[in-house]
Amino acid sequence: MFSWRLAKRILFALALGQVGIGCVTDGEGKGDGGFSMGSGGRSTVDSIRLFTSPTVLNFDNVPGPDGFSAKIYAIDHDSAKPVKIREGALEFALFETEAEGEPLQVWKFDSATLSRHMSSTRIGVAYNFQFRWAADKVPKKKAAIVALYRAPDGRVSRAVPVILALGP
């Protein structure tokens, strides 16, 4: 039969083991043999996901659409959750009807500017935007939105374009 002193030591060891199992790293310190508990290290952006408002939006309460909202998730294939964009830039392009030809308008954000649009969600880092198009750049039938991530090494990742109807 176990002695109470031995049982306390075993319980303490089990409790200590449970605390160690509960620790989580962010995976950004991989390969260096150490632990990473914070935002240190680098993550790469392999692709991006674009989500927009379901329809165009009216921001000024004057009849007619004024723009749209968008959310971007940056994907690192080595990470389970969307990651922070630490370098490079995001671009959004507005097209008439199809995502081809010359865009009506382009919005650009470098990594320093992106931090103002960043939020942490349960599923990972998200970037939230609200875009108003210029009065002379209003699409007439449909708004096609394309998002691009431009890495510092020249790689370009393009999100699947989203088409928004401007009316019934």
Side-chain angles (χ1 to χ4, degrees):
M1 190 163 211
F2 288 115
S3 71
W4 180 242
R5 185 179 299 184
L6 180 61
K8 284 197 286 188
R9 288 183 182 166
I10 291 173
L11 287 173
F12 179 74
L14 288 172
L16 190 60
Q18 287 296 319
V19 169
I21 290 171
C23 293
V24 178
T25 65
D26 63 8
E28 294 178 339
K30 55 189 168 245
D32 62 4
F35 292 103
S36 177
M37 296 294 286
S39 60
R42 299 304 249 188
S43 58
T44 59
V45 176
D46 296 315
S47 62
I48 58 173
R49 304 291 187 271
L50 168 66
F51 296 89
T52 65
S53 49
T55 61
V56 291
L57 302 174
N58 183 333
F59 294 121
D60 59 8
N61 292 326
V62 174
D66 299 313
F68 61 97
S69 64
K71 183 175 288 211
I72 289 284
Y73 293 101
I75 307 301
D76 176 350
H77 295 305
D78 293 330
S79 178
K81 293 184 174 189
V83 297
K84 180 178 181 180
I85 298 173
R86 299 183 186 284
E87 53 191 7
L90 279 179
E91 292 182 18
F92 295 85
L94 170 70
F95 295 88
E96 172 69 47
T97 310
E98 299 181 347
E100 294 179 359
E102 191 68 30
L104 294 172
Q105 194 166 351
V106 176
W107 296 270
K108 297 179 182 185
F109 301 90
D110 63 12
S111 56
T113 309
L114 285 172
S115 62
R116 288 185 254 158
H117 298 276
M118 187 180 78
S119 64
S120 292
T121 67
R122 292 181 122 184
I123 64 169
V125 177
Y127 293 90
N128 301 293
F129 302 90
Q130 285 194 342
F131 296 104
R132 293 182 78 143
W133 43 62
D136 61 334
K137 306 288 184 177
V138 178
K140 292 167 185 45
K141 298 177 186 175
K142 295 179 182 178
I145 293 93
V146 174
L148 300 171
Y149 168 72
R150 294 190 185 278
D153 64 4
R155 285 181 304 109
V156 176
S157 297
R158 180 180 169 160
V160 175
V162 175
I163 309 292
L164 300 174
L166 284 145

